[in-house]
Amino acid sequence: MTDAPAKQKKPDSCSFVIFGVTGDLAHRLVFPALYNLAATSLLPDNFCIVGIARQGMTGDALRDSLMKGLREFATRPVDDSIASRLLECVSCFEADPKDPASFDQMKAQLEKLEAARNTGGNRLFYLATPPGAFPTISRQLGRTGLLKEEDNAWRRLVVEKPFGTDLASARTLNGELLKILDEHQIYRIDHYLGKETVQNILVLRFANGMFEPIWNRNHIDHIQITVDEKLGVGHRGSFYDVTGALRDMVPNHLFQLLSLVAMEPPARFDAHAVRSEKAEVLAAIQTQSEADALKNSVRGQYRGGKVGDTEIADYRKTEDVKPDSTTETYAALKLTIDNWRWAGVPFYLRTGKALGIKRTEVAIKFKQAPFAMFRDTPVDRLSQNYLVISIEPTEGITLQFNTKVPGPSINIDGVEMKFRYKDYFKAAPATGYETLIYDCMIGDNILFQRADSVEAGWQAVQPFLDAWKQAGDRDLETYQAGSEGPAQADELLKRDGRSWRKLG
Ligand code: BG6
């Protein structure tokens, strides 16, 4: 069993300025991740956290509220002395994007605090706000000069998802940000890249000699990427009903998985090389016509049902959801990648809410062996050769293959070889944001999305968005909460002579 990770360097002194500090994300993930970094001595020596509230919040009220959040969402037992040292770093300033003067005042306050805390002027602005606020906040930060890199101080902007709602809006947002900042200052977060198992896809492929030679159309039949969730939409109706499963999950989280699995080997393990290869493969996803997009997709909406013991209400009866909503809560797509490695290898993607199981995995299905030798074994008795990268809830890798059943005659059965992270490594549970925040502070943007990949992702899903909008509720399937999703998703593979890996 391997213990703690290799020793990491401490980031430069800096201030960490959070917009949207009163919100769920800041309380549930960002602050608990900062706590975990503090607990492992990975915060800068000179550090301050500034929460920006629109109005009426005192420093004490913010500290109380963050502490309450930490008690609820911490991933490890909270040590009060570490927590209070972290809270001592927290201040609260006011700034409202609708009131430019408030940004000027905030700048003056921040500069004073930075001088007192000796942070060297390095700043990280974290936009944990609803996406509508990204452009206005960035504009004000740009106007006041708060983002200008000068006097050897770095200035960085972290932008949460969703980055745009379609190709046009993502391009506009990139254009806005790039007027104010250089690409190297922008950190577009996708929390999937904070997951160890997701980062491990790169290591599995490129730090082992045996996978890469067979990682192509000659040996791989197809690839399935699944992100199934048990939770319904809950209280997020107003966000979700204008977003839907496709926008919420595919151009970001599922495409992170797809790009890591499908990219070419980068020449170096650095941000430029890795991000270029990821962008390249996303740009190679075939852009489908609207007619093909309809043929190659299934969307569904859940109806009431039970997930385990929990009753989930009909999606259309969810708070803040339109009673005649046509928003999909499930999406399945068939994509192809137009390059030599992947020509003719379908990528099937599926994701949904209120399903019977929580599971995130990438399953690589290898081509069947020619079984002339084992003529007496019915094909369906042979196990399918899958390499399954399990991301959640199990973290590990499984290889399925055929083996001889002990006995005098040759009988064949499928078996599994399993690697589980927890059997080998003792990692403390984490939010997944620790690595991402730490990387922002050390200036490593390898795990962040570059403008070109974000746009390539939207480009690939745009025909589906357009086709579904056109179709309205035509072809909108339904499925019962707690099920495996709409039956039509099975047809998508069945017509190619394939099937999804079963749930559970
Ligand atoms: C978020 C989506 O980005 O990712 C949510 O907005 C989704 O709808 C979540 O539930 C899934 O993340 P994870 O880490 O639980 O797979």
Side-chain angles (χ1 to χ4, degrees):
M1 183 159 303
T2 307
D3 221 328
K7 202 158 170 46
Q8 288 172 284
K9 67 169 184 181
K10 280 202 171 202
D12 297 339
S13 299
C14 66
S15 45
F16 189 96
V17 184
I18 311 174
F19 284 84
V21 73
T22 51
D24 184 60
L25 175 69
H27 283 72
R28 208 162 38 86
L29 293 161
V30 178
F31 197 67
L34 287 169
Y35 173 83
N36 287 344
L37 288 171
T40 46
S41 300
L42 286 174
L43 285 183
D45 289 330
N46 299 315
F47 186 56
C48 60
I49 302 170
V50 177
I52 306 287
R54 251 178 300 181
Q55 52 187 250
M57 167 141 307
T58 63
D60 281 341
L62 177 60
R63 285 184 286 272
D64 284 351
S65 153
L66 290 173
M67 188 61 205
K68 212 166 135 229
L70 184 62
R71 295 226 183 276
E72 190 174 350
F73 300 113
T75 60
R76 58 174 83 203
V78 176
D79 176 324
D80 284 338
S81 66
I82 298 173
S84 56
R85 271 205 308 281
L86 186 63
L87 286 170
E88 272 167 26
C89 301
V90 176
S91 309
C92 184
F93 298 159
E94 281 179 15
D96 181 345
K98 289 202 210 84
D99 172 13
S102 66
F103 270 70
D104 296 316
Q105 282 155 21
M106 183 268 280
K107 181 184 184 197
Q109 285 175 298
L110 181 61
E111 284 172 348
K112 208 164 138 201
L113 179 70
E114 288 174 339
R117 293 273 178 166
N118 213 3
T119 59
N122 298 317
R123 291 179 196 135
L124 196 154
F125 293 96
Y126 196 118
L127 303 188
T129 61
F134 298 164
T136 45
I137 295 175
S138 319
R139 259 180 248 139
Q140 287 307 321
L141 293 175
R143 183 190 61 77
T144 49
L146 277 161
L147 286 170
K148 188 153 184 257
E149 297 201 305
E150 55 194 355
D151 303 330
N152 280 331
W154 52 254
R155 308 277 151 83
R156 295 176 189 147
L157 184 74
V158 181
V159 188
E160 269 291 340
K161 88 170 249 288
F163 196 94
T165 51
D166 57 12
L167 179 58
S169 58
R171 280 187 177 146
T172 306
L173 182 54
N174 273 330
E176 289 260 3
L177 294 180
L178 289 163
K179 270 190 242 156
I180 304 163
L181 298 133
D182 268 354
E183 178 62 44
H184 78 268
Q185 295 175 271
I186 308 173
Y187 288 69
R188 297 174 194 79
I189 276 205
D190 183 315
H191 78 275
Y192 263 51
L193 285 177
K195 295 179 193 279
E196 290 287 350
T197 35
V198 174
Q199 294 170 28
N200 190 44
I201 297 174
L202 272 183
V203 178
L204 175 80
R205 286 190 57 196
F206 303 130
N208 294 296
M210 74 255 214
F211 295 116
E212 213 37 37
I214 54 170
W215 210 263
N216 55 48
R217 67 174 192 278
N218 298 326
H219 300 278
I220 292 179
D221 177 72
H222 73 274
I223 292 183
Q224 299 183 10
I225 301 181
T226 302
V227 182
D228 285 344
E229 298 186 88
K230 280 165 115 171
L231 292 179
V233 168
H235 298 298
R236 297 170 77 214
S238 57
F239 161 76
Y240 200 86
D241 207 36
V242 292
T243 305
L246 182 64
R247 284 191 173 91
D248 189 34
M249 300 295 288
V250 177
N252 31 65
H253 306 327
L254 276 86
F255 278 7
Q256 290 302 336
L257 302 175
L258 180 145
S259 56
L260 291 170
V261 167
M263 69 194 271
E264 292 302 312
R268 283 173 306 282
F269 190 65
D270 66 25
H272 175 75
V274 171
R275 298 198 305 171
S276 298
E277 293 302 347
K278 286 175 67 188
E280 188 81 11
V281 77
L282 289 176
I285 298 176
Q286 189 182 42
T287 309
Q288 308 197 14
S289 66
E290 281 185 32
D292 283 345
L294 272 189
K295 215 166 59 201
N296 289 326
S297 65
V298 172
R299 61 196 167 119
Q301 196 181 66
Y302 63 81
R303 296 289 167 257
K306 264 193 154 184
V307 177
D309 292 337
T310 314
E311 200 69 59
I312 295 206
D314 191 316
Y315 175 71
R316 287 181 171 171
K317 298 199 176 110
T318 305
E319 182 190 334
D320 296 327
V321 166
K322 288 205 270 0
D324 57 352
S325 170
T326 57
T327 301
E328 78 288 352
T329 59
Y330 179 99
L333 311 180
K334 175 183 172 184
L335 301 175
T336 47
I337 295 180
D338 279 342
N339 65 18
W340 276 46
R341 184 188 287 266
W342 296 118
V345 179
F347 283 68
Y348 299 103
L349 278 55
R350 60 177 164 167
T351 183
K353 299 253 180 227
L355 297 170
I357 195 172
K358 175 158 176 66
R359 173 177 65 165
T360 302
E361 68 169 41
V362 178
I364 294 121
K365 162 85 169 54
F366 289 92
K367 290 191 170 163
Q368 201 76 264
F371 18 79
M373 249 172 86
F374 304 112
R375 225 180 276 285
D376 297 338
T377 307
V379 175
D380 56 7
R381 287 276 299 131
L382 287 175
S383 164
Q384 313 224 28
N385 285 153
Y386 273 111
L387 177 72
V388 182
I389 302 170
S390 304
I391 289 149
E392 267 185 281
T394 312
E395 296 183 312
I397 295 169
T398 305
L399 184 64
Q400 286 183 3
F401 56 97
N402 291 300
T403 197
K404 178 184 172 298
V405 180
S409 54
I410 298 279
N411 281 324
I412 298 176
D413 209 351
V415 293
E416 288 187 342
M417 212 153 72
K418 290 187 177 172
F419 153 70
R420 296 280 168 267
Y421 267 84
K422 64 176 169 47
D423 298 337
Y424 282 79
F425 304 106
K426 270 195 285 177
T431 63
Y433 271 66
E434 293 76 4
T435 316
L436 298 173
I437 291 175
Y438 174 82
D439 282 358
C440 290
M441 292 192 292
I442 62 163
D444 182 355
N445 41 24
I446 200 166
L447 294 178
F448 295 84
Q449 298 248 73
R450 216 167 54 185
D452 51 352
S453 351
V454 173
E455 291 178 17
W458 281 116
Q459 170 106 36
V461 300
Q462 191 65 49
F464 297 95
L465 292 174
D466 294 340
W468 292 357
K469 189 166 170 208
Q470 280 285 333
D473 61 3
R474 196 164 32 90
D475 300 336
L476 174 70
E477 314 296 346
T478 55
Y479 61 99
Q480 208 187 353
S483 70
E484 292 192 18
Q488 290 76 4
D490 294 339
E491 291 302 316
L492 191 66
L493 274 71
K494 205 165 164 196
R495 65 170 197 230
D496 295 343
R498 302 184 171 105
S499 58
W500 294 108
R501 267 172 45 82
K502 283 279 157 216
L503 294 183

